[in-house]
Amino acid sequence: MIAAALAFLVASAAALTPGTSPGDAGVAPGGGATPAAGGATDGCGTRPKPPLERLEPRIWDVRLEASLWAPASTQGSTSPLRLRDATVWFPVLEEGPWSAVDRRSVAPELWLDARRVPAPDASLSAGLPRCMSALRLRVGAMSGQSVRWSVAWRAQCWSSRVDEAAAAAATWPAEWPPETAPWLAPEPGIESGTEEMRAFVERVSEGKLRSVTPWIAAKELVRATVNHFNAVDNDGIQVENGFPRGITFSGAHAAMTRRTGSAHDLAAACTAVLRTAGIPSRLVLGVAEVPMSSGASKARLVTWCEMWLPGAGWAPFSPLRLRGGARGGLQLQRPWPSFGSWDGLNQFIPLCLGVTVPAPGASPAPYPAGYAWTASGTVEPWQATEAVTVQILSRGRGRGP
């Protein structure tokens, strides 16, 4: 059986060929259009209402590419890949509260060895769990040295603003909207409702959780969760043998127990704590240009969170960005940077709600990168090599509120 060793290679927009974009090759008719401003009415892409506001739209071209190739033997030769009925599922968040994808721009490509497949067997499947869509790309059966696949699309993202006083005044609802139900339940990596999580919420709130509004309760719980971590790996990318393989993700329970983890574990922990407190919350996996120690920036996988503000919709926040000011610098009655009001949110492109697309029967990567796949076959010496590349390129200002 093929060992799933998924490597994640992150590329910056500078890696794109000058004068081209991720969506230039194979884009369906209309692919150059600006994504619609949106107006979904469900709990996935519900357009924010006051006191939340979208502003400063920005357009991005995105490409997610993965490769699988046969490994070299000790003699320097390679054994061919032999796959049966392989399928890759790429996450597509068609419409979120702070982003929208032009589905006409979604463009898959497939290469078997060095041969590009002219018309790959691909379809966009909507209605998956957790409000997701997915690009289903069927590789089928193949025998060769490598297989490479990619999907490109155009997205529009918004920054966020919240009226802090109005948000703090929003009271607990008699019932949360039915569409928020998935974001109150536990899931792998977001282990809400455990005895340990309930004890943490009880201790932080001193048993008086509902004596304050959901907004204030959420801020208090997030601040306590951020302070609970003794150390955080800000980058949170697993690197082995020189290959970044995806995000380092142990999950909320393990990270809270150890009081340390990656930035993605911190986001999962905040999500799990809020769900335990009865506040709908979800983790978002996306990509953004992140400054490096060299002074340059690279496109990296990042995570952040959203919580449901009664009467308004999904309010974004970044636990990692709050971490620097959490110890004594975040007053509950004052606005926090990147909590509700987030000036740079339009530079964060969502890929997936959660860390892996919930495709039927598909397996996630050991170090998540959003996509999942199904495949069977054999290869010697029992180990294939995979790599994933993300590229993003800004297309300037968008339109619509």
Side-chain angles (χ1 to χ4, degrees), residues 310-331:
W314 293 106
F317 67 94
S318 172
L320 182 62
R321 288 170 170 252
L322 294 173
R323 180 168 166 76
R327 298 187 182 278
L330 297 177
Q331 303 301 315

Side-chain angles (χ1 to χ4, degrees), residues 310-391:
W314 293 106
F317 67 94
S318 172
L320 182 62
R321 288 170 170 252
L322 294 173
R323 180 168 166 76
R327 298 187 182 278
L330 297 177
Q331 303 301 315
L332 294 179
Q333 303 300 331
R334 297 180 63 84
W336 293 357
S338 305
F339 196 102
S341 292
W342 189 346
D343 290 340
L345 183 61
N346 60 359
Q347 301 178 50
F348 285 67
I349 308 156
L351 299 178
C352 190
L353 298 177
V355 296
T356 303
V357 61
S363 300
Y367 298 99
Y371 77 95
W373 71 305
T374 57
S376 60
T378 58
V379 64
E380 293 184 355
W382 310 103
Q383 182 70 52
T385 304
E386 280 189 295
V388 178
T389 302
V390 170
Q391 299 174 334

Side-chain angles (χ1 to χ4, degrees), residues 118-392:
D121 182 359
S123 59
L124 189 60
S125 300
L128 297 181
R130 300 206 307 263
C131 304
M132 288 299 302
S133 297
L135 193 286
R136 176 184 179 274
L137 180 60
R138 185 172 183 271
V139 179
M142 67 87 63
S143 178
Q145 297 302 313
S146 66
V147 56
R148 178 163 57 101
W149 53 88
S150 73
V151 60
W153 67 95
R154 177 162 290 185
Q156 179 164 287
C157 303
W158 286 265
S159 292
S160 64
R161 180 183 296 161
V162 68
D163 182 324
E164 183 73 21
T171 59
W172 292 86
E175 292 183 352
W176 295 101
E179 58 268 24
T180 64
W183 318 113
L184 285 165
E187 61 182 277
I190 303 178
E191 302 92 348
S192 58
T194 65
E195 182 178 345
E196 295 84 358
M197 288 290 183
R198 291 196 300 270
F200 182 83
V201 170
E202 183 75 8
R203 182 170 64 254
V204 172
S205 65
E206 299 181 344
K208 302 175 182 179
L209 178 67
R210 297 210 170 204
S211 65
V212 294
T213 62
W215 185 256
I216 297 299
K219 292 177 74 172
E220 185 174 29
L221 291 168
V222 167
R223 183 179 65 182
T225 304
V226 171
N227 283 334
H228 184 76
F229 279 64
N230 293 325
V232 173
D233 175 7
N234 291 353
D235 188 37
I237 302 295
Q238 180 70 19
V239 179
E240 296 179 8
N241 299 321
F243 291 95
R245 297 185 61 192
I247 66 170
T248 304
F249 188 70
S250 300
H253 176 76
M256 289 289 283
T257 300
R258 297 194 306 258
R259 305 190 69 170
T260 185
S262 68
H264 319 296
D265 293 322
L266 176 62
C270 289
T271 302
V273 167
L274 291 186
R275 290 186 189 182
T276 300
I279 300 173
S281 182
R282 60 193 190 186
L283 182 148
V284 185
L285 174 70
V287 63
E289 292 279 350
V290 176
M292 310 302 290
S293 58
S294 64
S297 61
K298 290 185 177 180
R300 305 289 280 183
L301 281 180
V302 293
T303 49
W304 62 97
C305 305
E306 294 175 346
M307 63 157 286
W308 186 269
L309 178 62
W314 293 106
F317 67 94
S318 172
L320 182 62
R321 288 170 170 252
L322 294 173
R323 180 168 166 76
R327 298 187 182 278
L330 297 177
Q331 303 301 315
L332 294 179
Q333 303 300 331
R334 297 180 63 84
W336 293 357
S338 305
F339 196 102
S341 292
W342 189 346
D343 290 340
L345 183 61
N346 60 359
Q347 301 178 50
F348 285 67
I349 308 156
L351 299 178
C352 190
L353 298 177
V355 296
T356 303
V357 61
S363 300
Y367 298 99
Y371 77 95
W373 71 305
T374 57
S376 60
T378 58
V379 64
E380 293 184 355
W382 310 103
Q383 182 70 52
T385 304
E386 280 189 295
V388 178
T389 302
V390 170
Q391 299 174 334
I392 62 174

Side-chain angles (χ1 to χ4, degrees), residues 11-33:
S12 69
L16 296 172
T17 303
T20 67
S21 74
D24 283 342
V27 175

Side-chain angles (χ1 to χ4, degrees), residues 78-128:
T78 58
S79 300
L81 300 171
R82 295 184 178 91
L83 302 179
R84 299 187 301 272
D85 198 26
T87 300
V88 185
W89 300 81
F90 290 94
V92 179
L93 184 57
E94 291 194 68
E95 189 162 6
W98 308 101
S99 64
V101 169
D102 181 359
R103 65 158 38 221
R104 299 169 299 173
S105 71
V106 178
E109 292 186 283
L110 175 65
W111 294 262
L112 301 179
D113 287 331
R115 179 178 61 86
R116 182 176 181 271
V117 178
D121 182 359
S123 59
L124 189 60
S125 300
L128 297 181

